[in-house]
Amino acid sequence: MQVTKDTVVQFHYSLSDESGKQLESNMNADPIAYLHGHNNMMKGVEAALEGKAVGEEFSVTLPASETYGERNESEQAIQRVPAKHLMGAKVWKPGMVAVVNTEQGQRQVTVVKAGRFMVTVDTNHPLAGKTLTFDLKVTDVRAATAEELAHGHAHGVGGHHH
């Protein structure tokens, strides 16, 4: 079966920056699962996976516009938030990446300045504005269930758990 709209795709990935430095990988962990064709994956990665089959391994280099987006250099990208809203550490220092809950779900932010009660963060994703290379390996492709289609996301290992 090939990756097409309304299929659930499981894959492993390794992510590298322009210098070839590995930034992330799930090669030795459970694969990611997503519902293809429903805006659940970065558009560049989803386009690269279209038409692929189980067992295919390949690399794709993508511009920021097709992954985490371009950097927003406006003043609105820098915000002060209560330190209690940051998840990932107890003590914050500039350069650290934190997770915050937003109306759009969880989001990664970078600490710019840390105070005792308030922290200034850059709301750009830490990888925004970067050209990235994804090494991908398709591990499973199956038809989505009616429930997955109704919910708009994949269920099970690597997917959403209710």
Side-chain angles (χ1 to χ4, degrees):
M1 176 177 265
Q2 290 185 311
V3 175
T4 59
K5 185 171 172 56
D6 298 339
T7 58
V8 172
V9 182
Q10 288 188 324
F11 69 94
H12 284 107
Y13 75 95
S14 179
L15 173 61
S16 303
D17 65 14
E18 291 177 89
S19 70
K21 177 184 173 195
Q22 186 179 76
L23 305 172
E24 295 178 10
S25 177
N26 78 338
M27 291 295 187
N28 296 316
D30 286 336
I32 289 178
Y34 79 98
L35 179 60
H36 191 79
H38 291 260
N39 297 318
N40 292 328
M41 182 54 56
M42 289 176 241
K43 67 181 179 180
V45 173
E46 187 168 62
L49 287 165
E50 178 75 29
K52 298 294 192 262
V54 174
E56 288 196 55
E57 294 183 54
F58 61 99
S59 294
V60 61
T61 299
L62 300 168
S65 61
E66 294 183 23
T67 58
Y68 293 100
E70 300 296 343
R71 285 191 55 79
N72 175 357
E73 298 296 346
S74 73
E75 291 179 16
Q76 289 86 4
I78 305 299
Q79 296 182 6
R80 286 179 46 86
V81 297
K84 67 182 181 182
H85 292 303
L86 300 181
M87 295 179 280
K90 291 189 189 295
V91 177
W92 296 102
K93 295 182 176 150
M96 293 176 75
V97 176
V99 175
V100 294
N101 286 318
T102 71
E103 292 175 1
Q104 294 80 36
Q106 289 190 336
R107 171 181 205 134
Q108 288 184 318
V109 297
T110 304
V111 174
V112 176
K113 181 179 176 185
R116 187 170 185 187
F117 300 107
M118 296 295 288
V119 178
T120 303
V121 298
D122 180 344
T123 61
N124 284 294
H125 187 281
L127 298 177
K130 297 182 187 246
T131 297
L132 300 169
T133 298
F134 293 81
D135 294 318
L136 302 166
K137 179 179 182 181
V138 180
T139 60
D140 191 49
V141 180
R142 63 172 174 79
T145 65
E147 183 179 44
E148 288 171 321
L149 291 171
H151 290 186
H153 55 251
H155 294 163
V157 175
H160 187 79
H161 300 280
H162 288 277

